[in-house]
Each structure stands twice: as C-alpha cells, then as structure tokens.
Amino acid sequence: MKDLMDSLKEQDAGQKTRILVCIPAYNEATSITDIVKRSSNYASEVIVYDDGSLDNTAEVAKAAGASVIRNRKNKGYGSAIKKLFEAAIEK
C-alpha cells in the first residue's frame, strides 16, 4: 500500500499529487486522534468535519494535526460528505 501511495504522490514529473483524507465525525473525541494519525500516513492533509458533536471532537482532531470544519448543529452524514467534498475542491 505504501508503494502505491508513494507513486501517487510523485505521479507527475516532480509535481506531487495531493491526497486528502476527509473524515465525517460526531462525538468521536475518544477515537479521532488515532484515526487522524493513521490517516496522515497516507495523505497530504486530513480534514475532519465535526457535525455538531457534543464532546470535544473538533479540538482533539485539531490537536492531532487535522484541519477541522465545525458545524454547530448535527445535519447528518450526507451533509457532512457534501461539505467535505466542497472543502476538498477548495484545497
């Protein structure tokens, strides 16, 4: 898997391909650190969309190295995925 990721990152004659990992999250403070750290092994950037969590998911994800998008109210998985795709396009 690592060889595939390395080749994708260097695909275009010296120009690196950016790989984003986008993670929707709701009340995942206890597990998000491990997920972000593992994902960062395979990506240029990790983006966590905190969908109105009642715990400190956003803060923990940011401390683990992720970029964080935070929504104050839970709008569901579909909305989270849509926002993550929009964020990825902007990157």
Side-chain angles (χ1 to χ4, degrees), residues 32-79:
I32 199 69
T33 296
D34 186 50
I35 294 166
V36 168
K37 289 187 184 254
R38 287 180 183 214
S39 298
S40 66
N41 290 324
Y42 303 100
S44 308
E45 183 176 353
V46 177
I47 304 171
V48 172
Y49 180 84
D50 178 11
D51 193 21
S53 294
L54 302 174
D55 63 7
N56 61 339
T57 296
E59 293 82 4
V60 173
K62 188 171 184 174
S67 297
V68 176
I69 302 167
R70 189 166 192 187
N71 193 33
R72 294 195 182 276
K73 183 179 178 187
N74 183 283
K75 293 190 176 183
Y77 183 76
S79 179

